[in-house]
Amino acid sequence: MDGAVAPSKGPDRIAFYMLRFLTRLCDGVGVALMAAILLLIVAAVVARDALGLGMPWTEEVASMLAIYAIGFGSLSAWVRSEHLVVDLFSHKLSRLGKNLQYRLTALISCGFFVLAAWGAWIMSDMSANNKTVSLSISFSYLYYGIFFCFAGMAVIAFWQTLRGRVAWLEVAREDEVVQP
């Protein structure tokens, strides 16, 4: 996404900058969360081994931070089309066939993401009274991270279904492919 050239005008230009901002924000937050996890684990080890202090709450916080880091990373990867894809025959399709396949895949993905977000929302409601042992944090906060991840990917997949393939994302991906 960073190597792509922005469209000259229109709604695609707005979408380009919005998606670029979203990926940079998600990447920044994800990296900050991973750094916080690392610092938290190092602090727990140092406190336990060097100072003889127990910090049992660090496991709960690290788990929550990891869920949110994965959510932000997944959202960023979805925008960049960097999730694992098995591509067996789309290179043999016509331009119309590729466009239809892209939209159908985005629509199916959107349905899956909506279903997963709905499940996370239901689980957050069901586990509102369940709390962690050390800090008494509601498990709902864990499910909110999953909900926001899938809801964000559902919105982007819906946009991909309506918009279809965009040239500014394809150019960046084609540059990465190494031809033998």
Side-chain angles (χ1 to χ4, degrees), residues 20-37:
R20 189 169 79 171
F21 173 76
L22 179 67
T23 57
R24 288 180 176 175
L25 177 70
C26 288
D27 288 344
V29 171
V31 167
L33 291 172
M34 291 303 290
I37 293 168

Side-chain angles (χ1 to χ4, degrees), residues 112-131:
F112 169 76
F113 295 145
V114 166
L115 189 62
W118 179 62
W121 185 258
I122 298 260
M123 287 303 296
S124 70
D125 187 45
M126 299 299 263
S127 64
N129 296 325
N130 298 340
K131 298 186 184 294

Side-chain angles (χ1 to χ4, degrees), residues 24-71:
R24 288 180 176 175
L25 177 70
C26 288
D27 288 344
V29 171
V31 167
L33 291 172
M34 291 303 290
I37 293 168
L38 180 65
L39 290 174
L40 188 64
I41 292 171
V42 168
V45 169
V46 168
R48 183 187 68 227
D49 292 343
L51 304 174
L53 300 173
M55 295 172 48
W57 55 270
T58 57
E59 181 181 341
E60 295 172 1
V61 174
S63 298
M64 187 176 297
L65 292 177
I67 288 172
Y68 279 86
I70 291 168

